[in-house]
Amino acid sequence: MAHESESVSLLPPEIISEILVRLPVKSLLMMRCVSKSWLSLISTRQFIKTHLEFSTNKQDFAHDILLSSSSFEHTLRFYTCSLYAIMYQESPHVPDDLDFPCKDPLVNYNFVGSCEGLLCISGGAHDLFLWNPSIRKSKKLPISGSNVHCSSYLAYGIGYNECQDDYKVVEVMGSSHSEYGFQNEFRVYSLRTNSWKMIQEYPGVIFCNDPAKFVNGRLHWIATRVSDKNDSWFISSLNLVDERYENVALPDLVYGNFDWELGILGGNLCVFCDYYKVRMDVWVMKAYGLVESWTKVASIPYFTAIEHSPFPVFISHNDEILLQHRSSLLIYNSTHNTFKHPQVQIHHGYKIQFSLYTKSLVSPHFVEEV
């Protein structure tokens, strides 16, 4: 063993780095114990970023499926399962139960979203947590300073500012004032500085309190204007670099009796248009910001077994779409117009959410301690 260790140490550092960056997170956590130099290398921001880029640049199945399950007792549990296994291997699938560190039975925990391996979770009215289950690191964020007891709603989002190499959590607090009308206070948390700041308000707009979708450096919410008597909704975005608000044009939808949601498929912004009990149209913005790039990639028909609106989670290179239907999964093949039903064995709660998850070395403490 000593001879092997000496042989490895003779390799140039850049070769060692090229080898290590190709390993999965679980292996890298063990490799940190090989030597102080390997621990130092694997803990650097540059290595963490390079490893993440290498992982996400792989083909379709660089991700896992993340399952969050909450119960009436406020218990929030997380599981992961191989996306490749769900799409192409035989059922049933037994996911790994992740050890969520926050277990106060008196607190109502909710999954806010994830970004590059970091999960954001709210706890009660004030608390927010960042957690990377792959490296078993978590962090409670400082209080944002919002007076949540005066709020009409709270909306959250998590994303990454590439220019500053910084992860951001955004809190939107909407409230109605008789003197000022409807106001939105935006607060942004920086992982790099471990602090919150308030940015320019966005008055007169009501945001849907679903977690924001992070695409192209921007967080996206569904919103409507207070003054809009037609109650029409649009896509509002916040650029995490310059902290400016913009609207994103919707696709040319066939109007009628339908509801729509925002999503992400293949890293692109999506609109899921649900024509009740008839079909769901899946629109993808293939070139961000270009309204003409909106493309309807599938029109998913309802059938007897679909009782509630399905929600697309993932689309493969051959246009197979993984759908969440209530607390289970369906795979729709748009070419053959067929469905498969992969079995995932979990303890069902009253609220199940499926999403994509990337295993990474990104620490909620930003720079990993050596």
Side-chain angles (χ1 to χ4, degrees):
M1 179 65 75
H3 177 71
E4 292 177 1
S5 178
E6 290 172 4
S7 298
V8 170
S9 65
L10 294 176
L11 292 173
E14 58 271 18
I15 299 298
I16 294 176
S17 181
E18 282 294 316
I19 295 171
L20 292 179
V21 81
R22 287 164 168 76
L23 297 179
V25 172
K26 187 175 181 179
S27 299
L28 286 171
L29 295 180
M30 294 187 290
M31 292 298 103
R32 295 191 304 181
C33 301
V34 170
S35 67
K36 289 184 178 180
S37 62
W38 283 27
L39 171 61
S40 178
L41 168 65
I42 294 169
S43 301
T44 62
R45 277 295 300 158
Q46 185 57 52
F47 182 89
I48 292 170
K49 290 171 64 178
T50 304
H51 178 265
L52 181 63
E53 290 170 5
F54 187 85
S55 299
T56 53
N57 285 337
K58 291 179 182 178
Q59 295 301 314
D60 286 340
F61 305 104
H63 304 279
D64 279 356
I65 290 294
L66 177 74
L67 300 82
S68 62
S69 172
S70 54
S71 70
F72 289 105
E73 292 80 26
H74 304 308
T75 302
L76 182 61
R77 301 180 69 175
F78 289 91
Y79 309 82
T80 57
C81 191
S82 164
L83 175 60
Y84 180 86
I86 288 176
M87 295 296 291
Y88 292 121
Q89 294 179 358
E90 293 297 320
S91 299
H93 307 289
V94 181
D96 296 324
D97 190 347
L98 302 178
D99 186 19
F100 179 47
C102 305
K103 296 182 173 67
D104 189 335
L106 301 179
V107 175
N108 184 19
Y109 296 103
N110 288 286
F111 177 49
V112 170
S114 68
C115 179
E116 298 184 347
L118 283 180
L119 275 59
C120 185
I121 296 139
S122 66
H126 297 281
D127 294 334
L128 286 168
F129 302 86
L130 290 178
W131 174 43
N132 185 337
S134 297
I135 61 174
R136 299 185 180 91
K137 297 286 186 180
S138 63
K139 174 181 182 176
K140 182 179 178 180
L141 304 191
I143 299 298
S144 69
S146 298
N147 186 3
V148 296
H149 299 294
C150 297
S151 65
S152 300
Y153 64 82
L154 287 171
Y156 295 103
I158 179 172
Y160 176 67
N161 181 337
E162 187 173 4
C163 293
Q164 299 175 358
D165 184 25
D166 195 6
Y167 293 90
K168 301 292 185 78
V169 176
V170 175
E171 177 189 81
V172 186
M173 188 188 78
S175 57
S176 181
H177 299 279
S178 57
E179 183 178 353
Y180 303 107
F182 200 90
Q183 300 287 316
N184 287 292
E185 293 182 358
F186 277 75
R187 288 175 171 81
V188 179
Y189 168 81
S190 162
L191 183 59
R192 181 179 281 275
T193 64
N194 191 34
S195 62
W196 291 88
K197 70 173 182 179
M198 185 180 291
I199 62 173
Q200 182 181 354
E201 293 183 355
Y202 194 174
V205 173
I206 298 175
F207 288 84
C208 177
N209 62 358
D210 289 340
K213 309 302 179 186
F214 179 68
V215 177
N216 201 52
R218 297 163 174 84
L219 291 171
H220 301 80
W221 292 270
I222 296 176
T224 188
R225 299 191 182 280
V226 177
S227 58
D228 189 345
K229 304 302 181 183
N230 296 321
D231 196 29
S232 58
W233 296 79
F234 60 93
I235 302 173
S236 181
S237 72
L238 174 65
N239 189 318
L240 292 183
V241 175
D242 58 19
E243 297 173 346
R244 296 181 62 180
Y245 310 107
E246 299 170 336
N247 294 341
V248 179
L250 284 165
D252 187 14
L253 303 175
V254 177
Y255 285 93
N257 186 26
F258 70 88
D259 195 8
W260 61 279
E261 293 186 70
L262 282 181
I264 302 173
L265 290 176
N268 296 312
L269 188 66
C270 299
V271 167
F272 309 134
C273 190
D274 183 20
Y275 295 87
Y276 303 104
K277 298 293 183 181
V278 178
R279 71 181 190 278
M280 170 178 280
D281 291 344
V282 179
W283 292 83
V284 176
M285 182 176 255
K286 295 194 171 182
Y288 185 85
L290 296 179
V291 64
E292 59 270 22
S293 75
W294 279 113
T295 305
K296 185 165 69 172
V297 297
S299 189
I300 304 170
Y302 272 69
F303 67 104
T304 306
I306 295 184
E307 301 172 353
H308 295 272
S309 302
F311 187 85
V313 177
F314 167 78
I315 185 168
S316 70
H317 65 278
N318 57 354
D319 292 338
E320 284 189 311
I321 300 177
L322 183 66
L323 304 163
Q324 175 177 351
H325 177 240
R326 301 184 110 180
S327 59
S328 62
L329 291 171
L330 293 170
I331 298 174
Y332 174 67
N333 188 309
S334 58
T335 303
H336 301 101
N337 196 31
T338 57
F339 289 89
K340 290 191 298 184
H341 190 179
Q343 301 293 326
V344 180
Q345 296 180 346
I346 61 171
H347 299 289
H348 294 295
Y350 81 93
K351 183 180 179 182
I352 304 286
Q353 182 179 348
F354 294 86
S355 57
L356 288 189
Y357 169 67
T358 304
K359 291 180 180 178
S360 79
L361 294 165
V362 176
S363 173
H365 303 286
F366 193 74
V367 177
E368 190 59 72
E369 304 89 348
V370 178

